[in-house]
Amino acid sequence: QAQLVESGGGLVQTGGSLRLSCAASGSIDSINVMGWYRQAPGKQRELVAAINIVSGERTSYGDSVKGRFTISRGNAKNTVVLQMNSLKPEDTAVYYCAADRSGTTSIFRLRVKADALDARGQGTLVTVSS
């Protein structure tokens, strides 16, 4: 099973930026999609962003973050970076890095909803103050 280690997160003011990183290790040969989802208290899981790490080009974003967040592969193998700009109080949540054998970011999105991803990290808290 893959192990995921997240870094980044914290407290930022409205309009600020944060950068989250995630590194995968262990049984990762079959992993082809990595991404982030978030969950706020009392709310459902929500896809934030996903990327096909084989191509590094196919990405998918949640509607609420399009145009503000960018996901990319990191310099190190099997790492992904989420750059979050123009943060809003409603972005406050625990952000989880996840990895899966989905094959496509569309299927990854469905597996987020079903809580059926192959691996996820411990989560990192992002708090945006108004």
Side-chain angles (χ1 to χ4, degrees), residues 37 45-46 107-117:
Y37 69 91
R45 284 179 303 278
E46 176 187 17
I107 294 176
F108 185 91
R109 182 190 295 265
L110 293 174
R111 290 172 67 84
V112 167
K113 281 189 176 182
D115 196 16
L117 295 162

Side-chain angles (χ1 to χ4, degrees), residues 1-35:
Q1 189 173 2
Q3 288 82 48
L4 305 176
V5 177
E6 302 139 333
S7 60
L11 174 65
V12 67
Q13 292 186 329
T14 296
S17 298
L18 282 174
R19 186 179 177 92
L20 304 182
S21 297
C22 176
S25 61
S27 299
I28 56 175
D29 288 346
S30 57
I31 295 298
N32 45 45
V33 180
M34 291 182 66

Side-chain angles (χ1 to χ4, degrees), residues 19 22 72-81:
R19 186 179 177 92
C22 176
S72 60
R73 286 190 305 191
N75 292 330
K77 188 180 179 182
N78 296 317
T79 63
V80 291
V81 175

Side-chain angles (χ1 to χ4, degrees), residues 38 46-48 60-68 109:
R38 67 188 183 188
E46 176 187 17
L47 173 74
V48 176
S60 181
Y61 293 92
D63 288 342
S64 60
V65 307
K66 284 180 181 176
R68 299 187 297 124
R109 182 190 295 265

